[in-house]
Amino acid sequence: MTATEDPTSPLDDFTTWAPVLNLLLSSPTARNAAGTACLAGRISRHGGSLPLRGRASPSTRAAVAGVQQALARAGPEDIAFRAEVRPDGTTTLGLVRPSPSVPT
């Protein structure tokens, strides 16, 4: 790595994911009885699989586009995620990238 390269991937930046998580949190069924939301999905450079009903709205496409741009810059073809959002807003985000040792 040279001194001018940014060591942080945009995929690891929480601000990249915040629009997607906020979109999923707006679903009336996002939170369980205790108020915790467990969210998950997969986004690729060309689409995504999110637990939303109906056609993708402009806000859905805009949220996903931010992650797709980060994918294009970082290299992977797709990424899976899971998030737990507690009632106080504390969020744990887990990202699952394809393994380079697994052929595609």
Side-chain angles (χ1 to χ4, degrees):
M1 176 180 353
T2 66
T4 59
E5 288 179 358
D6 181 5
T8 309
S9 166
L11 282 175
D12 296 317
D13 187 344
F14 188 81
T15 59
T16 300
W17 291 93
V20 172
L21 300 179
N22 286 329
L23 176 72
L24 296 176
L25 282 171
S26 68
S27 168
T29 60
R31 295 188 184 269
N32 64 21
T36 298
C38 294
L39 312 169
R42 176 178 293 279
I43 298 176
S44 76
R45 292 187 193 186
H46 309 290
S49 176
L50 301 174
L52 298 170
R53 291 187 175 167
R55 296 190 58 149
S57 68
S59 59
T60 301
R61 288 191 295 275
V64 170
V67 176
Q68 288 173 324
Q69 291 168 0
L71 281 167
R73 288 192 302 266
E77 198 55 41
D78 67 349
I79 191 164
F81 69 93
R82 73 162 285 290
E84 180 182 85
V85 183
R86 289 176 280 296
D88 67 359
T90 304
T91 303
T92 303
L93 175 64
L95 303 175
V96 181
R97 292 172 173 83
S99 170
S101 62
V102 177
T104 55

